[in-house]
Amino acid sequence: MRAVELRLVCDELDRGALHVRTLRDALQLNALLTADGMELAAVSELALCLSASEARAAKLLTEALGLAELPGALEAVEAGLLTVEQSGTVVSQLSVLGLPGRVAVWQRLKDRLIADDDAGIVTPPARLAERLRKWVIDHDKKAAEERRRKAESERRVEYRRRDDGLGNLFAFGFRGPVLQAILQRVDKLSAPFGSEDERTADQRRFDALSDLLFGRIGTCTGDAATCGCRPGEGAPCGADMPVLVPIGAAQRTTDEVAELVGHGPIEPDLLEQLLLAAPVLRAVFVDENGVPVATSDITIRPERGDPESVRQALLTLSQLTPTHWFPRHPDDHDAPAPEVEPQRSRGGSLRRPQLADPRGTGTAHPPDTPGAYKVPRRLRRFLTTRAPLCEFPGCGVRAMRCDIDHDRAHPDGATCACNLGPLCRRHHQVKQLLWTKLRTGGGVVWTSAIGRSQLSPAQHEAPATPTRPPPPLPTPHPFDVLSPWEVEEELWWLELLPDDPDAFELRALDVEHPDDVDPDRGARWADTSWGRDLHDPYLWGEPAV
């Protein structure tokens, strides 16, 4: 056991030493690029060298720069006085201070770490962060108050995608009274909608907040509801969110998966809900590799909640043919008008009938035809469909939030699909630092100023061949009609029954009460109002007066 413990200690020391070597290399790379006026590209270059995300590269470079300013900080990590996790905590906690303040607090912390190490005291990152927060406030109390007021002015909303296909929404910067008022509002609106509402208390609160954000409270879920929404509906009304749907996924004839742009793949049941929520459908035509080459100007909107209308819309889309196609790269021009191959034609709710490949007879872009600098709206819509994300390697910014960049600067490069692609503002600026782009059939090849090349592949997959026929349309179930007692139960739940109890008892005697069959049913629904007496892992306190 002592041998195992010694190996663990040595491994952690080696890990810290290797981490410091990486930090020093990152500092040297940043210094070289800064000396040549290319400091903006440091994070991108570091991310490509590490085959990592730019977020990780930026965090690594920030940590390196922060530790380099503190006397002996890098050496402390290298010697094991600070762990890798603690070093990041030190940089983040001290970043709010000026350089003299950072050095002063660091000296205080270093003395404390040496004393703790001699005493055998272990300080996890969480406790270290708490200690640093106290020392930072103690160093300059007025500055701490100003930072709090500034933080209130920087309130924001963020989201995170999860591995299970869901997402989390975060709101930062609520003042105490405002937060309590919001919780109280959610509390009041999270009552069950009927006797068949089997959602838990947490689920009802979540759905109440979601309905509030969508404006359904008093509209969709009120007495004047016209769209048929219910609390927690999976497909929100009126949302503007592009979804790339292979025709096989929409018709369930292949195992392809639809993609919600900016979120990622979505499950088949969620796609079915979206298709039944009356979306606006537009066909996108792709080649055999899945690269979009044309879009339809015709849009179709099926009837809400009608599977037959959805199926007819998909059939109509699959029979459309493009009137204009866009080149994929500079040598993809002047080809004969492509024709849809009947034996392989596939339509799509948002993509994709397949076109014959015109590259075999394509030629270069016609010379001296740069066109106007401004990208037409129709062309921009196609470009954001062809590349839903920024075309820099590994970037995940949505194309709808990006600039449309000329691969070769206008007027040397044409305003044409063969020379255009979406780039986020940051990578648009990085490209100006002597980066070049070469658009090919397989993607975009990026080359840095020092000759390092990186491929940003095409962002779509090849269409799949149908493997099974479309499933039959659902038919109404004969038991979907409520029985007389179930109707009266719902009326009682909604407090719409007359006040005469005898009238209700006489009607109730004419039908078999379900509690006679299931004695526990009445107990389960005896009190569906929720509060602290029910099982609730969270205490929803009343707002402070």
Side-chain angles (χ1 to χ4, degrees):
M1 184 172 179
R2 289 180 178 178
V4 172
E5 290 177 344
L6 181 61
R7 287 199 300 269
L8 288 174
V9 172
C10 293
D11 290 343
E12 185 62 21
L13 289 173
D14 292 341
R15 176 171 172 253
L18 180 60
H19 184 64
V20 171
R21 190 174 71 182
T22 303
L23 294 179
R24 286 175 172 156
D25 289 340
L27 288 171
Q28 186 175 3
L29 176 64
N30 180 68
L32 293 172
L33 292 173
T34 302
D36 290 336
M38 302 174 65
E39 182 179 4
L40 184 63
V43 172
S44 299
E45 291 274 6
L46 183 59
L48 294 178
C49 291
L50 299 176
S51 298
S53 66
E54 290 198 1
R56 180 194 167 198
K59 182 179 179 181
L60 190 68
L61 185 57
T62 300
E63 180 181 348
L65 294 172
L67 292 177
E69 294 178 334
L70 305 177
L74 288 172
E75 290 76 9
V77 180
E78 194 171 27
L81 191 62
L82 271 179
T83 66
V84 174
E85 291 75 19
Q86 287 176 332
S87 65
T89 302
V90 169
V91 172
S92 62
Q93 293 296 326
L94 300 185
S95 62
V96 298
L97 299 175
L99 181 58
R102 293 199 296 271
V103 174
V105 176
W106 161 247
Q107 292 291 355
R108 183 178 178 181
L109 175 63
K110 185 168 65 172
D111 295 340
R112 182 63 177 269
L113 289 174
I114 293 175
D116 288 348
D117 186 65
D118 293 340
I121 299 175
V122 177
T123 305
R127 293 187 180 181
L128 179 65
E130 183 180 356
R131 177 183 299 170
L132 286 174
R133 282 195 294 267
K134 293 179 180 178
W135 289 355
V136 167
I137 295 176
D138 182 62
H139 180 76
D140 193 341
K141 295 181 175 61
K142 291 185 178 180
E145 294 175 356
E146 293 177 358
R147 287 194 298 271
R148 178 185 56 78
R149 287 191 289 267
K150 182 181 178 181
E152 291 178 353
S153 67
E154 295 175 350
R155 51 192 178 274
R156 67 194 186 278
V157 175
E158 296 181 1
Y159 73 97
R160 296 290 185 273
R161 292 190 295 270
R162 300 184 352 185
D163 294 338
D164 55 9
L166 303 179
N168 297 330
L169 182 68
F170 304 89
F172 299 90
F174 285 114
R175 294 179 179 178
V178 175
L179 178 60
Q180 290 297 322
I182 292 175
L183 296 180
Q184 182 68 14
R185 176 67 169 162
V186 173
D187 183 350
K188 293 180 179 180
L189 295 174
S190 58
F193 62 76
S195 60
E196 297 181 357
D197 190 351
E198 298 181 354
R199 297 173 298 166
T200 64
D202 285 335
Q203 292 170 348
R204 294 199 305 269
R205 285 194 289 268
F206 179 92
D207 294 341
L209 178 61
S210 177
D211 292 337
L212 275 174
L213 294 177
F214 280 118
R216 290 173 174 169
I217 301 300
T219 56
C220 290
T221 56
D223 296 336
T226 59
C227 63
C229 289
R230 299 186 71 177
E233 191 78 33
C237 299
D240 184 11
M241 47 186 184
V243 186
L244 301 175
V245 185
I247 186 64
Q251 296 178 334
R252 291 192 287 177
T253 59
T254 66
D255 293 327
E256 296 171 293
V257 179
E259 180 180 355
L260 176 60
V261 177
H263 174 82
I266 58 177
E267 294 76 12
D269 61 336
L270 184 55
L271 172 61
E272 182 179 0
Q273 294 178 24
L274 292 175
L275 291 175
L276 291 175
V280 178
L281 306 180
R282 184 191 303 273
V284 176
F285 305 89
V286 303
D287 62 12
E288 76 285 353
N289 295 318
V291 178
V293 293
T295 58
S296 173
D297 294 330
I298 300 175
T299 60
I300 301 176
R301 187 164 192 167
E303 294 292 333
R304 182 180 179 87
D306 186 356
E308 176 62 27
S309 179
V310 173
R311 177 168 294 189
Q312 290 297 328
L314 295 176
L315 180 61
T316 302
L317 288 176
S318 65
Q319 295 175 348
L320 295 177
T321 56
T323 57
H324 175 75
W325 69 282
F326 296 89
R328 292 156 290 191
H329 50 82
D331 295 328
D332 196 17
H333 284 270
D334 293 336
E339 297 179 356
V340 177
E341 298 179 358
Q343 70 278 14
R344 300 179 65 184
S345 172
R346 291 190 287 277
S349 57
L350 290 182
R351 62 174 183 172
R352 54 189 163 203
Q354 180 172 330
L355 300 179
D357 186 4
R359 282 181 294 176
T361 57
T363 59
H365 184 92
D368 301 327
T369 57
Y373 176 77
K374 185 177 181 180
V375 180
R377 183 171 58 181
R378 180 186 184 191
L379 178 57
R380 182 184 180 93
R381 183 181 66 200
F382 170 77
L383 293 172
T384 55
T385 302
R386 185 176 68 181
L389 304 175
C390 171
E391 288 188 323
F392 190 85
C395 184
V397 178
R398 289 179 54 181
M400 297 180 67
R401 298 169 51 193
C402 291
D403 302 330
I404 299 299
D405 172 63
H406 289 73
D407 298 346
R408 294 183 58 192
H410 189 273
D412 294 335
T415 303
C416 174
C418 71
N419 190 56
L420 294 172
L423 288 182
C424 67
R425 183 60 55 85
R426 173 181 176 82
H427 290 133
H428 199 171
Q429 295 173 345
V430 168
K431 175 178 173 287
Q432 311 305 322
L433 302 177
L434 302 181
W435 284 72
T436 59
K437 293 166 59 180
L438 177 62
R439 193 168 298 276
T440 66
V444 181
V445 178
W446 287 74
T447 305
S448 68
I450 61 174
R452 177 182 175 88
S453 296
Q454 191 82 21
L455 173 66
S456 179
Q459 300 180 17
H460 299 277
E461 297 181 357
T465 303
T467 57
R468 53 183 176 270
L473 291 173
T475 56
H477 196 279
F479 298 105
D480 287 343
V481 181
L482 294 178
S483 65
W485 187 91
E486 290 173 328
V487 172
E488 292 192 357
E489 184 185 35
E490 292 297 328
L491 293 176
W492 171 83
W493 185 265
L494 298 174
E495 299 181 354
L496 298 178
L497 284 175
D499 296 332
D500 184 5
D502 296 334
F504 176 74
E505 291 177 0
L506 290 175
R507 289 192 298 269
L509 291 174
D510 297 335
V511 295
E512 181 182 6
H513 199 285
D515 291 347
D516 298 335
V517 181
D518 184 4
D520 296 331
R521 187 177 191 276
R524 287 201 305 269
W525 293 104
D527 183 10
T528 54
S529 62
W530 71 280
R532 296 182 183 177
D533 56 319
L534 296 182
H535 174 67
D536 190 351
Y538 303 98
L539 291 180
W540 289 64
E542 301 294 335
V545 179

